[in-house]
């Protein structure tokens, strides 16, 4: 009878080792995805599911901002936080299209510990060189294969900040 117990223990140990290796490979794969790739793999609502990346950036505090075109053709923004196994979606910041150019969206998210706000919008006027929200300069980024730019700023405000611009003279 003892040989059978050893065989069962051996099979159990083999199963546990294989399960551990598979789980480890899964975690390593998820941890190596970019924020946009992770967003693509999530089961998002069809209205906000990504179809094309416009721009992504990971900030020093581990928060990633991802701008993309959804499957319904709207411009979207997602804020994501880094975790041990990949990313956590903090939230989606509404939708814009070309009719909304020159305006911006203000959204607020919390990761359970701190509140993060984002303001972002679309620029189609090439003469606009700077955008300010409550006198803080926004990041302005070009988008691949598109005739517009995105401005954005992450901060913490009590209410939506005031938008001002500076154009070429």
């Amino acid at each position: 009878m003892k040989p059978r117990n050893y065989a069962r223990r051996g099979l159990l140990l083999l199963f546990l080792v294989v399960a551990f290796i598979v789980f480890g490979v899964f975690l390593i794969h998820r941890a190596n995805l970019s924020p946009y790739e992770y967003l693509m793999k999530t089961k998002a609502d069809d209205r906000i599911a990504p179809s094309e990346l416009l721009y992504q950036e990971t900030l020093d505090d581990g928060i990633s901002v991802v701008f993309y075109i959804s499957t319904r053709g709207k411009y979207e923004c997602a804020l994501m936080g880094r975790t041990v196994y990949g990313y956590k979606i903090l939230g989606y910041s509404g939708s814009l299209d070309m009719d909304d150019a020159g305006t911006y969206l203000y959204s607020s998210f919390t990761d359970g510990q701190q509140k993060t706000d984002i303001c972002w919008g679309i620029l189609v006027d090439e003469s606009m060189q700077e955008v300010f929200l409550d006198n803080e300069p926004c990041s302005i980024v070009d988008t691949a294969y598109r005739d517009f730019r995105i401005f954005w700023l992450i901060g913490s405000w009590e209410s939506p900040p005031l938008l001002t611009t500076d154009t070429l003279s």
Side-chain angles (χ1 to χ4, degrees):
M1 272 206 198
K2 286 187 178 183
R4 284 184 113 183
N5 285 339
Y6 287 126
R8 285 183 183 168
R9 286 183 186 170
L11 284 174
L12 179 62
L13 182 62
L14 178 64
F15 173 76
L16 290 175
V17 167
V18 168
F20 183 75
I21 290 171
V22 168
F23 184 70
V25 168
F26 172 76
L27 284 181
I28 290 170
H29 173 71
R30 297 275 296 214
N32 289 331
L33 295 175
S34 73
Y36 180 72
E37 290 168 335
Y38 182 85
L39 196 60
M40 289 286 291
K41 290 192 177 290
T42 61
K43 302 294 183 210
D45 183 334
D46 284 341
R47 293 173 296 145
I48 56 174
S51 69
E52 183 179 344
L53 175 66
L54 294 172
Y55 180 78
Q56 70 181 344
E57 184 174 329
T58 301
L59 307 174
D60 292 337
D61 59 2
I63 292 178
S64 295
V65 60
V66 181
F67 297 100
Y68 63 94
I69 299 174
S70 68
T71 53
R72 64 186 180 127
K74 299 283 189 175
Y75 306 114
E76 309 279 348
C77 173
L79 279 182
M80 303 167 70
R82 187 81 167 139
T83 65
V84 174
Y85 61 88
Y87 292 91
K88 172 185 171 186
I89 298 172
L90 300 176
Y92 297 93
S93 177
S95 301
L96 292 174
D97 57 29
M98 280 303 175
D99 294 336
D100 300 314
T103 63
Y104 72 96
L105 290 175
Y106 165 80
S107 301
S108 186
F109 307 101
T110 182
D111 65 359
Q113 297 173 3
Q114 81 178 48
K115 177 179 159 263
T116 302
D117 300 335
I118 185 167
C119 294
W120 69 281
I122 297 170
L123 292 175
V124 293
D125 185 351
E126 287 295 321
S127 69
M128 285 190 191
Q129 295 303 303
E130 293 183 293
V131 176
F132 299 91
L133 291 164
D134 278 354
N135 296 320
E136 289 187 58
C138 295
S139 297
I140 299 176
V141 294
D142 293 322
T143 58
Y145 314 111
R146 302 289 173 191
D147 54 352
F148 65 91
R149 297 173 293 158
I150 296 172
F151 67 90
W152 62 280
L153 183 64
I154 291 181
S156 184
W157 301 278
E158 293 301 317
S159 60
L162 177 65
L163 174 71
T164 56
T165 62
D166 189 12
T167 59
L168 288 174
S169 300

